[in-house]
């Protein structure tokens, strides 16, 4: 489990495309400092398993399903990615419950900077719109954020300078795709409600 508090802005240093997967190497000296083989690291909000590591880098295998269902398919050497280690059992819970399981891919519609923050509007898949509410939590490329406004097929997030400086959302431009994970509690509530109304 993760919390959506990005620990490090990493860089893709290599990508090897295989027949049904890709092997990606990421520079992330902080997140790999105490990691080992088999540990989980969220890369742009996608929970991935470390298969090799050393010299401030780690390598992950990404299956075709993940490449197709997330924005990881568009990564290439030089891409900046948000990194977070799995939460330790006694760790501080700074964001919200994040599983690292992407629910869909959104697209940046607009970026509106002001003196003290920047508002980003993101178009989201219709199937996810019911889970997104104003002042609710959402994960965008692995960053735990609060929804500041919402429409039928979009939502907005308001980013402070720290988030802009320490995550790849600071370089977001219209047209860029981002990984979205909605609040898992909302999905559980919906499932329980649907079963209750059917009398299960």
């Amino acid at each position: 489990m993760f919390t959506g508090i990005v620990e490090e802005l990493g860089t893709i240093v290599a990508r090897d495309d295989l027949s049904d997967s890709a092997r990606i190497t990421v520079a992330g000296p902080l997140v790999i400092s105490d990691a080992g083989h088999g540990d989980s690291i969220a890369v742009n909000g996608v929970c991935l398993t470390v298969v090799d590591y050393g010299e401030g880098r780690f390598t992950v295998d990404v299956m075709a399903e993940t490449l197709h269902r997330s924005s990881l398919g568009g990564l290439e050497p030089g891409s900046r990615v948000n990194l977070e280690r799995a939460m330790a059992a006694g760790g501080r819970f700074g964001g919200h419950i994040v599983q690292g399981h992407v629910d869909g891919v959104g697209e940046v519609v607009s970026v509106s900077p002001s003196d003290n923050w920047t508002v980003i509007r993101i178009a989201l898949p219709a199937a996810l719109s019911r889970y997104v509410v104003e002042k609710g939590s959402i994960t965008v490329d692995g960053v735990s954020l609060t929804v500041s406004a919402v429409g039928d097929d979009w939502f907005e997030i308001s980013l402070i300078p720290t988030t802009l400086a320490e995550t790849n959302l600071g370089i977001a431009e219209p047209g860029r795709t981002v990984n979205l994970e909605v609040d898992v509690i909302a999905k559980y509530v919906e499932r329980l409600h649907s079963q209750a109304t059917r009398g299960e």
Side-chain angles (χ1 to χ4, degrees):
M1 188 180 75
F2 305 91
T3 70
I5 304 300
V6 171
E7 297 183 273
E8 183 174 18
L9 191 54
T11 304
I12 303 300
V13 294
R15 172 173 173 158
D16 184 15
D17 287 303
L18 307 174
S19 61
D20 59 353
S21 64
R23 177 160 281 203
I24 297 175
T25 300
V26 186
L30 173 62
V31 297
I32 204 62
S33 61
D34 63 350
H37 183 85
D39 284 354
S40 296
I41 296 178
V43 178
N44 277 358
V46 181
C47 178
L48 298 173
T49 301
V50 175
V51 298
D52 194 12
Y53 65 97
E55 300 181 349
R57 300 177 175 187
F58 65 95
T59 300
V60 293
D61 287 325
V62 187
M63 60 181 146
E65 178 79 1
T66 304
L67 293 171
H68 294 146
R69 290 183 173 268
S70 73
S71 67
L72 296 189
L75 295 179
E76 57 188 19
S79 296
R80 305 305 304 276
V81 289
N82 298 322
L83 303 175
E84 181 190 358
R85 289 170 286 192
M87 182 181 176
R92 186 181 298 275
F93 205 111
H96 72 281
I97 297 172
V98 177
Q99 297 181 298
H101 303 158
V102 172
D103 292 305
V105 175
E107 181 176 324
V108 175
V109 176
S110 64
V111 179
S112 305
S114 65
D115 291 340
N116 299 303
W117 66 83
T118 293
V119 176
I120 298 181
R121 178 172 288 193
I122 298 171
L124 76 163
L128 298 183
S129 62
R130 65 183 181 274
Y131 302 115
V132 181
V133 297
E134 189 171 342
K135 308 304 180 188
S137 297
I138 193 165
T139 308
V140 179
D141 265 1
V143 185
S144 173
L145 295 164
T146 299
V147 176
S148 56
V150 63
D152 291 337
D153 59 358
W154 58 266
F155 68 95
E156 290 181 346
I157 49 177
S158 299
L159 307 181
I160 62 173
T162 297
T163 304
L164 294 169
E166 297 183 3
T167 75
N168 66 9
L169 297 180
I171 55 175
E173 297 179 344
R176 172 178 148 185
T177 57
V178 290
N179 293 319
L180 303 177
E181 182 182 332
V182 298
D183 191 344
V184 67
I185 295 174
K187 293 189 288 185
Y188 279 124
V189 169
E190 179 185 60
R191 175 69 172 169
L192 290 169
H193 177 71
S194 66
Q195 289 179 332
T197 55
R198 294 198 306 265
E200 295 180 10

